[in-house]
Amino acid sequence: MAGQTPPYYTPTTKPTTAVTTNLLRKDNVVLACLVIFLCSFFYLFGTWQPHATTTPSSTLTTTINCPSTTTNTNTATETNSNKHLDFTTHHSATVNDVVIKTYPPCPNNFSEYTPCQDQKRSLKFPRDRLIYRERHCPEKHELLKCRVPAPYGYKNPFKWPDSRDLVWYANVPHKDLTVEKAVQNWIRFEGDRFRFPGGGTMFPNGADAYIDDIGKLINLNDGSIRTAIDTGCGVASWGAYLLSRNIMAMSFAPRDTHEAQVQFALERGVPALIGVIASKRLPYPSRAFDMAHCSRCLIQWGQYDGVYLIEVDRVLRPGGYWILSGPPINWENHWRGWERTQEDLNEEQTQIEKVAKSLCWKKLVQKGDLAIWQKPINHLDCKTGPKFTQTPTFCPVQNPDSAWYTDIETCLTRLPEVSNEEEVAGGAIANWPKRLDMVPPRVSSGSIDGVTPEIFQKDVILWKKRISYYKTVNSQLGQPGRYRNLLDMNAFLGGFAASLVEDPLWVMNIVPVEAKADTLGAIYERGLIGTYQSWCEAMSTYPRTYDLIHADSVFTLYKDRCEMEDIMLEMDRILRPEGSVIIRDDVDLLVKIKKIAEGLNWESQIVDHEDGPLVREKLLFAVKLYWTAPADSDQGS
């Protein structure tokens, strides 16, 4: 263990047996001796019986397997699994003399490996419209079967809110941005750490002051704005400073020449993903965000028939805001510094204004370097008046929430039907925080198959009970600051995240594209954030993104779809050293998962369901042990 890391964490602090690991090991010895004695006694007793007969083969027999006192010799690739007593012994699971496949460390230069955004692979794809920066995942035969290492000297991140401003250099050993963005006050290098002053290209006075300027133009304080999306987010200072206003921003940027941008955001404890608006829809449902933002994000909004603004319109809630700062806004005062002609910038703004008008957006204000448009609350009058242009036309009947490898279309996503001009399309939602526990409009309207308001209310109660149980098993979950970045791999209605909303953390809610019900829109209506994902592929994020990963029935969902070990290796890639895992699933699957966890060098334990030992579903609590690349590995630029 590195001296600067916090004390070692165990998978559970209060096992269901209410004993410590050491006592469990002692009890194992006593139990083994007792079972051997009983086996020997009943064997001798049986041979002594004068009338003992052989049971016919057609008769059901009961066999008592005595534990073996021998162990296998470890090899470079296999180890013996007979380490800890757990629930598996009560379900006829063979745990003795079973060899475990182990996974070696990947080469040191894979410490920042992002499989679906691999830079070498991306060069095979067109540069037009940045298609080469989209997701391009490896084929099955290309998947790595090794553990991605942390860089040498890796330390547990600063606790929130300190992490908003400080990141250890050893965790993201790149100084490029400190040089390229030196005059923009993005980031400073100070000895063994980076400092983030809160600056940005278009907010030299800091993100806080910039957000205050926005707050003078639209209301950021009444809870009507809760979810936001930041395109081309840089190091996500805008999203970081919105958090103090109870606004949760989903920030994204491509993996480009400034390869550490999203990685810095995640190290700061700010929600972010690797992503780009190109030829595919963003991986979010329609009507998800209350506010969208671009601060000199270098997206060509007016080109390609306005396709990028059309995609923003799809993910923006009725009545939501689009905020633009940077070129071409206020070009009259900045054109010389931007090294562009007045004619060029004026033409760019004209194009943007034209596209926004065609989307039926209303321009609320342009003041200084800020311009703000508002999307209508419904489409009742859209395209019927002379002020609206005829392009783009409304899309034909489609699923507006389909967003996994779905092509962007140059047509306007039609809002749900309304009966009058004052009605909010799709249903009005309450201001934050009331919206968290109110039945989402997508649920109350019956638009999600199989999900009713009664199911939603039961889910709210269920997850409060489950989180309470989690905290009794792993008390670290109840320690403020222990975990910051959390991932729920199969979120359903976001109950896991909703039950933790008062803690200083955030949860990335995943709705798998293979799930029976698409509930991500309802999660956003609750004021939570998330994305679509197939766990047969890697996630669009850097290694060591999350402090805790929660997986509810994920392995049941993917049982016949892809390899269990590949999902576990991806979990290991995106989990921090000393990060925790909670997996809920059928006990037979958990027995197999535990073996893979041991091969990944995780410390793990299976415990009973919160409703007791008679429930087949069990929980595996695990901790990824601390390890890094060796000292002589490449430490970046």
Side-chain angles (χ1 to χ4, degrees):
M1 288 292 297
Q4 294 124 326
T5 59
Y8 171 70
Y9 295 101
T10 57
T12 61
T13 53
K14 295 179 181 179
T16 55
T17 52
V19 292
T20 63
T21 303
N22 288 333
L23 287 177
L24 280 173
R25 290 172 178 166
K26 293 178 181 178
D27 287 349
N28 283 347
V29 176
V30 176
L31 181 60
C33 293
L34 178 60
V35 174
I36 292 171
F37 170 76
L38 290 174
C39 288
S40 302
F41 172 78
F42 285 112
Y43 173 77
L44 293 173
F45 180 77
T47 58
W48 174 78
Q49 293 289 339
H51 302 290
T53 58
T54 304
T55 305
S57 59
S58 61
T59 304
L60 181 64
T61 62
T62 302
T63 302
I64 300 176
N65 293 318
C66 298
S68 172
T69 57
T70 61
T71 57
N72 291 341
T73 302
N74 293 343
T75 66
T77 60
E78 297 177 338
T79 60
N80 187 274
S81 67
N82 188 19
K83 289 183 178 181
H84 298 293
L85 177 67
D86 61 39
F87 189 83
T88 61
T89 56
H90 302 291
H91 284 262
S92 301
T94 303
V95 294
N96 297 300
D97 299 323
V98 175
V99 291
I100 301 298
K101 178 180 178 181
T102 60
Y103 302 89
C106 299
N108 298 334
N109 61 345
F110 280 79
S111 68
E112 295 178 358
Y113 181 54
T114 54
C116 296
Q117 281 81 21
D118 182 70
Q119 292 170 305
K120 291 182 180 179
R121 184 180 296 105
S122 70
L123 297 178
K124 301 176 183 178
F125 296 89
R127 289 181 172 266
D128 180 52
R129 286 181 54 179
L130 302 180
I131 291 174
Y132 76 108
R133 288 183 177 170
E134 292 182 316
R135 285 176 59 88
H136 303 291
C137 298
E139 299 292 334
K140 185 174 181 179
H141 69 275
E142 298 177 290
L143 298 177
L144 296 181
K145 304 293 184 179
C146 55
R147 295 177 292 135
V148 173
Y152 176 74
Y154 177 89
K155 305 177 185 180
N156 286 319
F158 291 93
K159 290 185 178 181
W160 184 267
D162 292 341
S163 65
R164 187 191 69 179
D165 304 325
L166 297 170
V167 167
W168 295 114
Y169 168 74
N171 293 11
V172 193
H174 297 286
K175 298 180 184 177
D176 297 355
L177 285 179
T178 64
V179 177
E180 297 187 37
K181 301 294 183 181
V183 299
Q184 296 172 10
N185 213 24
W186 275 30
I187 181 173
R188 300 172 187 164
F189 178 62
E190 299 178 353
D192 61 351
R193 66 195 65 185
F194 293 106
R195 182 176 296 277
F196 297 85
T201 307
M202 292 309 301
F203 32 95
N205 296 323
D208 237 3
Y210 175 79
I211 294 171
D212 285 341
D213 289 340
I214 295 174
K216 296 172 184 176
L217 305 176
I218 58 176
N219 195 334
L220 299 178
N221 300 316
D222 65 353
S224 61
I225 297 175
R226 164 63 181 175
T227 56
I229 186 169
D230 190 13
T231 56
C233 65
V235 294
S237 289
W238 187 71
Y241 281 84
L242 279 174
L243 288 168
S244 63
R245 295 163 170 83
N246 281 322
I247 297 175
M248 185 71 69
M250 175 68 77
S251 302
F252 73 89
R255 179 164 184 159
D256 56 8
T257 54
H258 305 317
E259 62 180 0
Q261 288 188 50
V262 169
Q263 192 175 17
F264 274 129
L266 293 163
E267 281 292 313
R268 298 175 72 184
V270 180
L273 285 171
I274 301 172
V276 63
I277 299 184
S279 67
K280 306 295 181 185
R281 284 180 172 179
L282 296 172
Y284 314 111
S286 65
R287 313 192 318 271
F289 299 99
D290 301 311
M291 176 169 60
H293 174 257
C294 163
S295 175
R296 200 171 187 179
C297 59
L298 305 180
I299 296 174
Q300 298 172 321
W301 296 112
Q303 295 191 10
Y304 309 111
D305 298 320
V307 68
Y308 301 139
L309 273 182
I310 290 172
E311 176 61 2
V312 170
D313 179 84
R314 183 186 70 85
V315 301
L316 202 58
R317 280 194 53 76
Y321 302 97
W322 184 57
I323 302 171
L324 177 63
S325 66
I329 304 304
N330 200 13
W331 59 264
E332 297 90 346
N333 294 317
H334 294 299
W335 66 276
R336 290 185 180 87
W338 290 339
E339 297 181 350
R340 292 174 61 183
T341 66
Q342 298 179 67
E343 293 76 16
D344 179 35
L345 288 163
N346 183 47
E347 173 61 23
E348 181 179 350
Q349 179 150 357
T350 300
Q351 286 182 331
I352 291 173
E353 303 276 8
K354 181 179 179 181
V355 174
K357 185 178 180 179
S358 74
L359 298 175
C360 308
W361 291 3
K362 176 184 178 182
K363 189 172 185 180
L364 292 182
V365 64
Q366 179 172 326
K367 184 177 181 181
D369 295 336
L370 287 167
I372 302 178
W373 286 261
Q374 186 174 25
K375 179 178 177 175
I377 62 172
N378 59 58
H379 280 158
L380 196 62
D381 291 333
C382 187
K383 303 291 184 181
T384 61
K387 64 179 180 178
F388 297 122
T389 61
Q390 297 304 306
T391 56
T393 58
F394 283 117
C395 295
V397 177
Q398 54 162 241
N399 179 4
D401 293 344
S402 177
W404 186 250
Y405 295 116
T406 303
D407 290 339
I408 296 179
E409 298 180 85
T410 54
C411 57
L412 181 59
T413 299
R414 188 186 296 271
L415 289 171
E417 296 294 330
V418 296
S419 57
N420 59 70
E421 294 181 358
E422 288 74 34
E423 184 180 350
V424 178
I429 57 174
N431 290 353
W432 180 264
K434 289 184 178 180
R435 69 173 71 175
L436 181 67
D437 290 325
M438 293 187 69
V439 178
R442 278 174 164 91
V443 174
S444 59
S445 67
S447 62
I448 303 177
D449 291 339
V451 182
T452 64
E454 293 74 22
I455 289 175
F456 173 79
Q457 297 292 2
K458 289 179 180 178
D459 192 72
V460 171
I461 297 171
L462 174 67
W463 277 104
K464 289 180 180 178
K465 176 183 177 181
R466 286 182 171 180
I467 292 297
S468 177
Y469 179 66
Y470 288 177
K471 290 182 178 180
T472 64
V473 179
N474 180 2
S475 62
Q476 298 156 25
L477 189 57
Q479 297 173 3
R482 168 63 183 101
Y483 303 114
R484 174 63 186 171
N485 302 359
L486 277 66
L487 174 70
D488 192 356
M489 295 176 68
N490 189 13
F492 188 44
L493 292 168
F496 174 80
S499 297
L500 292 168
V501 77
E502 296 297 328
D503 296 340
L505 53 81
W506 59 272
V507 180
M508 182 71 76
N509 293 282
I510 302 295
V511 172
V513 294
E514 298 87 353
K516 291 181 180 180
D518 180 359
T519 53
L520 191 56
I523 288 173
Y524 272 95
E525 287 174 342
R526 300 187 71 181
L528 305 171
I529 60 169
T531 184
Y532 294 110
Q533 173 69 34
S534 171
W535 290 115
C536 289
E537 299 181 359
M539 192 176 178
S540 293
T541 192
Y542 281 87
R544 303 171 299 281
T545 291
Y546 295 102
D547 305 305
L548 185 146
I549 298 177
H550 180 256
D552 181 4
S553 304
V554 168
F555 294 93
T556 292
L557 178 63
Y558 287 94
K559 186 176 180 181
D560 299 316
R561 289 185 167 101
C562 46
E563 297 298 325
M564 186 181 296
E565 71 171 0
D566 292 330
I567 298 176
M568 292 285 284
L569 282 164
E570 174 62 5
M571 293 170 68
D572 184 80
R573 182 185 75 88
I574 62 180
L575 185 65
R576 296 190 191 278
E578 295 191 331
S580 297
V581 175
I582 304 173
I583 301 175
R584 305 180 66 94
D585 227 308
D586 183 85
V587 65
D588 290 341
L589 282 175
L590 281 190
V591 172
K592 299 175 183 178
I593 292 167
K594 191 175 192 303
K595 294 173 185 176
I596 298 175
E598 291 177 7
L600 292 170
N601 200 26
W602 294 2
E603 189 72 34
S604 63
Q605 182 177 357
I606 296 177
V607 302
D608 286 331
H609 189 275
E610 60 269 10
D611 290 335
L614 299 182
V615 183
R616 279 196 58 85
E617 183 179 76
K618 306 296 173 187
L619 293 90
L620 183 141
F621 284 76
V623 173
K624 177 179 175 180
L625 300 185
Y626 179 91
W627 70 282
T628 72
D632 59 352
S633 63
D634 182 13
Q635 293 301 295
S637 56

